[in-house]
Amino acid sequence: MHFTNTRTRRLTAIAAAVVSTALVLTGCAGSDSGDTAEQELVIGSQMASFPSLDTGAITTAGYEGQRLIGNLIYEGLTKRDVSDPNAPAGVAPALAASWEIAENDLDYTIHLQEDVTFHDGTAWDADALLYNLTRYMDETDPNYDPVLVTYYSVLNFIESTEKVDDMTVVFHLNEPFAFFLADLYNVYFASPASLEEFGAEGQAKDPVGTGPFVFDSLEENQSISFVRNDDYWGDVAKLDRLTVELIPDASARTAALRSGRVDWIESAQPDDFASLEEAGFVTAGNAFDWEWSWQLMTQEAPLDDIRVRQAMNYAIDREAIASDLLHDTASPAYQMFAPASLYYDEADDIYGYDPELASELLAEAGYADGVDITVGYITAGSGSMQAKSMNEALQAQLAEVDIRVTLDPVDFSGMYGQLGEGDTGWNAANQAFSLEQPSSWNGFWFGCDGNFFSYCNEEADALYAQAIVTTDEEERGALLTEVGHLVTEDAAWLFVANDTAPRAMSADVEGYEQPKSWWIEFTNVSMAG
């Protein structure tokens, strides 16, 4: 048995029943009141708190903030194409209808979507585009916010912009950048009229974009609601309302689904899948390029020795974690790239379970008595999977070869705050991330110019630098595959698992098909009954 009604729908149904009964008692014939129930989808999110609702600031809640908030309200010039659930996400038009790239790979002519309006009725055109870009790039703009720019590094490649006409803009880049169009996906655009009247502070509390849903209400640290944008330029959503509730505890999310408080939960617990399916709920998941790993501090003892890092990778039983602990809601990760990645090469699956080899490598490195390390890990939030149980399983497995691990749990913002400050006291950090956006790799996970983990491979750096200016997709893919080969050989991470984004939902949720991506769309989703 399963329950699907939210509080709102229950009240609507009760009201409809009362009206219907009243009509019968008074002798009135026929009533359509039963057909007016609101189509609402309520999602239980693993986010611990809501971010600011101002464009780029939404990214401070990670990809889940973008997926469940940002992409509902706002749009970029492009978007992740998840129309084919059997293919990795590509690049599709959004507020840009089409584009041309000059032979010099520096000049991008962007043709804007016609007949698009912001939620407040302001027209989308070249002036609106340039207004937002000025806000992001001009420090003298009254609505400039350095926090927003932090998440829009793609704008650093723009040398200048040129308005050709009301619906055409040319971007002139300062150097070739193969991922320019791809990285415009989350450079969100807000209503210039709203910004003029209410400023950045107003946008953070009452956001006005062009997206398929309109911001409706926010209950701080509880829930956020959106209503359908009936004037949307694209496919109008079928749902009347979409509500996201904060339920960071995995068990509480499952309980909320079972009770009917929510219709859909993110990061469903693998242990609950069988019983949820028996109760009539639907579970979903799909392979995509999500990496759950420990990123190792490679310049500090003992992890400055590649043999220690390799020993860690041979000491863990990924298959047991994926099958026994996660019940196949994830797959073992033997290298930098997941099999669903465009850059995966099976030949790089080099780390099997071999604790004897792990012990030999430790002894060769001068650590016959083992090592002591500390690992910081994100407890909940975007893509953290079953963080506590997974880290404790790794802790137990590594102890078998005398790699003694102290775990330091932190929240999502705490992780990046401590990494940013530098002196964490950790030898490694556990976080999960998508490798779908290659431009984000350098400077974050690796790169000799500096990164959180001090990992440097000059050959990988050179190949990466070549890849980001290579416009031929096949050639670029080969270069990035080789980057992954080198990072894997270096054992720069403890490669653990590739997520499938497990979620569970009521059987009344219709029209949803899980893509091979972290990104999803809600315009085709509806509620039965």
Side-chain angles (χ1 to χ4, degrees), residues 171-440:
F171 291 108
H172 301 288
L173 306 192
N174 48 38
E175 62 179 310
F177 180 44
F179 301 105
F180 182 67
L181 291 171
D183 283 7
L184 290 173
Y185 81 99
N186 76 332
V187 178
Y188 295 137
F189 292 90
S191 163
S194 178
L195 283 167
E196 285 284 345
E197 185 172 359
F198 303 109
E201 185 176 347
Q203 191 67 21
K205 297 177 180 178
D206 190 7
V208 182
T210 61
F213 289 87
V214 179
F215 170 71
D216 183 52
S217 62
L218 171 69
E219 291 185 48
E220 197 66 39
N221 296 320
Q222 295 184 53
S223 66
I224 186 170
S225 287
F226 312 90
V227 294
R228 180 178 59 237
N229 178 8
D230 288 322
D231 296 321
Y232 185 57
W233 62 271
D235 293 332
V236 175
K238 298 178 180 178
L239 295 168
D240 296 299
R241 178 180 295 272
L242 193 156
T243 297
V244 178
E245 293 197 4
L246 294 180
I247 314 177
D249 181 77
S251 297
R253 285 197 301 277
T254 300
L257 179 64
R258 290 185 185 277
S259 70
R261 172 183 160 191
V262 302
D263 308 295
W264 164 317
I265 57 174
E266 295 286 282
S267 192
Q269 290 191 109
D271 287 348
D272 294 333
F273 264 43
S275 62
L276 285 171
E277 289 171 352
E278 289 175 4
F281 294 96
V282 175
T283 58
N286 201 345
F288 67 115
D289 66 349
W290 193 258
E291 182 73 39
W292 195 97
S293 59
W294 287 2
Q295 297 84 51
L296 309 180
M297 308 290 190
T298 58
Q299 299 300 315
E300 300 177 15
L303 302 187
D304 57 341
D305 192 314
I306 188 174
R307 292 168 294 187
V308 177
R309 303 196 302 269
Q310 290 171 334
M312 293 175 67
N313 272 287
Y314 285 118
I316 64 169
D317 189 347
R318 299 165 178 80
E319 290 82 358
I321 290 174
S323 60
D324 300 341
L325 180 61
L326 301 177
H327 299 290
D328 298 319
T329 60
S331 59
Y334 304 98
Q335 59 154 296
M336 177 173 173
F337 296 123
S341 171
L342 293 169
Y343 314 117
Y344 172 79
D345 182 351
E346 186 178 3
D348 289 332
D349 286 348
I350 61 178
Y351 296 111
Y353 179 46
D354 192 338
E356 290 185 8
L357 177 57
S359 295
E360 291 174 9
L361 286 165
L362 283 174
E364 288 177 15
Y367 296 104
D369 294 330
V371 296
D372 296 280
I373 62 173
T374 300
V375 179
Y377 75 93
I378 298 174
T379 55
S382 189
S384 61
M385 299 178 66
Q386 309 304 313
K388 185 175 187 294
S389 58
M390 291 172 72
N391 277 291
E392 288 176 348
L394 291 171
Q395 182 184 47
Q397 291 178 359
L398 290 167
E400 293 294 319
V401 297
D402 293 320
I403 298 175
R404 298 171 290 272
V405 178
T406 298
L407 296 173
D408 184 12
V410 296
D411 62 21
F412 189 89
S413 60
M415 167 66 72
Y416 293 103
Q418 292 191 52
L419 287 174
E421 291 173 2
D423 187 17
T424 62
W426 303 332
N427 301 98
N430 165 229
Q431 54 191 318
F433 44 80
S434 170
L435 291 170
E436 190 176 288
Q437 190 177 1
S439 59
S440 67

Side-chain angles (χ1 to χ4, degrees), residues 112-189:
L112 305 183
Q113 291 283 1
E114 303 275 355
D115 301 321
V116 177
T117 58
F118 290 91
H119 299 153
D120 60 1
T122 302
W124 162 250
D125 55 20
D127 290 332
L129 182 154
L130 295 173
Y131 182 97
N132 277 269
L133 290 186
T134 299
R135 179 204 178 190
Y136 294 140
M137 302 174 70
D138 184 353
E139 294 183 15
T140 67
D141 187 277
N143 291 311
Y144 176 82
D145 184 346
V147 172
L148 306 186
V149 181
T150 300
Y151 297 98
Y152 291 159
S153 59
V154 62
L155 300 182
N156 293 327
F157 290 91
I158 299 176
E159 180 69 29
S160 63
T161 55
E162 174 189 350
K163 176 183 173 181
V164 177
D165 57 43
D166 285 346
M167 302 307 292
T168 311
V169 172
V170 179
F171 291 108
H172 301 288
L173 306 192
N174 48 38
E175 62 179 310
F177 180 44
F179 301 105
F180 182 67
L181 291 171
D183 283 7
L184 290 173
Y185 81 99
N186 76 332
V187 178
Y188 295 137
F189 292 90

